[in-house]
Amino acid sequence: MLGTMWINTGLALLACVVTFIVAMMSNVWLVSLERAGLAFLLFFLAAFPIRWLFGIITQTSTPSTVEESKDGVVAASPMTSESSEEGVEGIEVSDSAEEDSFTPLTFSRQDHTHLAEDPTTVAEVIRRLSDE
């Protein structure tokens, strides 16, 4: 989760004060205080999922930008900028680590007609529609 409990408390206090001031304009002070307390509780509890969501959105799980393999060859990760095409002098840059890390999932091709294109299914649908 992003932040601390003070974020929840601050947001809840802000909602409490705003609700109390707005409610005082048209209600007695006891009703306004009750509504402000309810606003404090709701905003305090609502801040937990909001902080959790912001934590997931801002979370980055990228490895370091340059990794060195056993051979001493530096492999560039996807985060490196492509503006430096020359690289560092004396160091060979290769994309072999990137190629080895990802293998796409492949499915075997099967020749089949889709259910909507099957002549028997189309005939059954037409029969059902004509009966109604």
Side-chain angles (χ1 to χ4, degrees):
M1 251 191 267
L2 187 67
T4 62
M5 199 69 107
W6 289 107
I7 293 174
N8 291 37
T9 308
L11 183 66
L13 280 174
L14 180 70
C16 179
V17 169
V18 169
T19 304
F20 183 75
I21 292 171
V22 171
M24 276 297 289
M25 292 179 188
S26 61
N27 296 314
V28 294
W29 70 273
L30 190 58
V31 173
S32 301
L33 193 61
E34 180 181 325
R35 291 182 179 170
L38 186 62
F40 178 87
L41 182 67
L42 288 175
F43 274 80
F44 184 80
L45 293 176
F48 283 108
I50 291 170
R51 282 179 34 211
W52 177 73
L53 224 125
F54 279 135
I56 288 176
I57 291 171
T58 60
Q59 177 182 355
T60 57
S61 61
T62 57
S64 64
T65 56
V66 178
E67 299 173 357
E68 188 170 338
S69 64
K70 295 178 184 176
D71 302 337
V73 177
V74 176
S77 72
M79 292 299 293
T80 58
S81 65
E82 295 183 25
S83 62
S84 61
E85 295 174 5
E86 298 170 1
V88 180
E89 290 183 32
I91 298 176
E92 182 181 335
V93 178
S94 69
D95 292 333
S96 63
E98 184 178 324
E99 292 172 3
D100 294 339
S101 64
F102 176 73
T103 56
L105 182 62
T106 58
F107 295 103
S108 62
R109 291 223 172 226
Q110 296 178 354
D111 293 328
H112 66 282
T113 57
H114 294 288
L115 190 59
E117 297 171 359
D118 188 24
T120 57
T121 307
V122 173
E124 288 176 14
V125 169
I126 291 173
R127 283 186 202 123
R128 277 191 233 140
L129 290 174
S130 63
D131 287 344
E132 292 177 1

